[in-house]
Amino acid sequence: MGFFSKDIKTLDDLFVHTLRDIYYAEKEIKKALPDMIEKATSTELKNGFEMHLRETEGHIDRLEQVFEMHGEKAKAVNCPAIDGILKEANEVAGDIDDKQVLDAALIAAAQAVEHYEMTRYGTLVEWAKQLGRDDCAAVLKKNLDEEKATDKKLTVLAESSVNLAAAE
Ligand code: FE
Ligand code: FE
């Protein structure tokens, strides 16, 4: 379904469409993370990805909760944006032999994913409020906050050790 599809008439329709988009994205991220855990060399990075895999499962659960609260069936729609981000991450990782450089690339890819999620959740929280669904907004905000925290942790890890190791 494209953004200008006639199926989206109201802000509520757009809200539900975007929920389905991020639901798809979260599921794809859940599938991609085990591979990133395997590729990571830094123990801290591996642990960080493992923790975020568990959080991602929680994000999927919360989204299902929001669908239910909003009286909609939990359904995913294709999200070409996350497909592209994950495809690019895979392609770049496949071209890197040096383990430390690969760690730096994995962090960069993961941060692209987190930022995508942050834009979606940021928008969804505001639309939920506008639609009078403060209850949905509160649940979505929990996902948003965890994505932001993950992004920050990745920045700290990159700046404190991984980038330095990659440059050596
Ligand atoms: Fe997430
Ligand atoms: Fe995330």
Side-chain angles (χ1 to χ4, degrees):
M1 201 196 314
F3 249 112
F4 300 102
S5 157
K6 59 185 179 348
D7 295 329
I8 300 174
K9 292 191 182 76
T10 64
L11 184 63
D12 196 284
D13 296 339
L14 188 58
F15 174 71
V16 172
H17 171 81
T18 308
L19 265 184
R20 291 172 176 165
D21 169 294
I22 190 69
Y23 187 54
Y24 171 90
E26 291 282 14
K27 288 177 159 215
E28 291 304 302
I29 295 162
K30 185 186 159 185
K31 281 192 238 164
L33 272 166
D35 188 47
M36 294 172 78
I37 292 167
E38 205 183 294
K39 281 181 183 150
T41 299
S42 149
T43 311
E44 265 185 282
L45 184 56
K46 251 186 209 295
N47 291 344
F49 282 156
E50 261 159 22
M51 187 185 152
H52 200 54
L53 175 55
R54 288 191 295 273
E55 284 179 340
T56 299
E57 287 163 354
H59 296 171
I60 293 169
D61 290 343
R62 285 198 193 110
L63 284 172
E64 288 170 355
Q65 212 180 308
V66 172
F67 277 115
E68 203 185 325
M69 288 159 79
H70 204 57
E72 291 284 337
K73 248 175 59 187
K75 202 178 112 184
V77 288
N78 262 15
C79 167
I82 200 72
D83 285 341
I85 290 171
L86 293 174
K87 183 167 177 258
E88 185 178 352
N90 258 323
E91 284 172 4
V92 173
D95 284 341
I96 302 173
D97 285 328
D98 185 285
K99 298 246 175 261
Q100 275 69 41
V101 175
L102 178 56
D103 274 357
L106 288 171
I107 290 185
Q111 288 194 284
V113 170
E114 293 317 304
H115 279 253
Y116 178 73
E117 292 181 292
M118 282 153 59
T119 66
R120 284 297 182 244
Y121 285 122
T123 297
L124 282 165
V125 166
E126 291 312 308
W127 285 346
K129 285 184 197 160
Q130 197 62 49
L131 292 165
R133 297 308 308 251
D134 285 2
D135 52 345
C136 296
V139 177
L140 292 162
K141 174 87 167 34
K142 289 184 191 168
N143 283 7
L144 175 62
D145 289 345
E146 282 180 2
E147 312 297 12
K148 282 185 182 170
T150 300
D151 179 57
K152 281 208 183 86
K153 280 186 224 160
L154 288 166
T155 295
V156 169
L157 190 54
E159 290 178 354
S160 67
S161 62
V162 170
N163 288 352
L164 192 71
E168 271 170 354

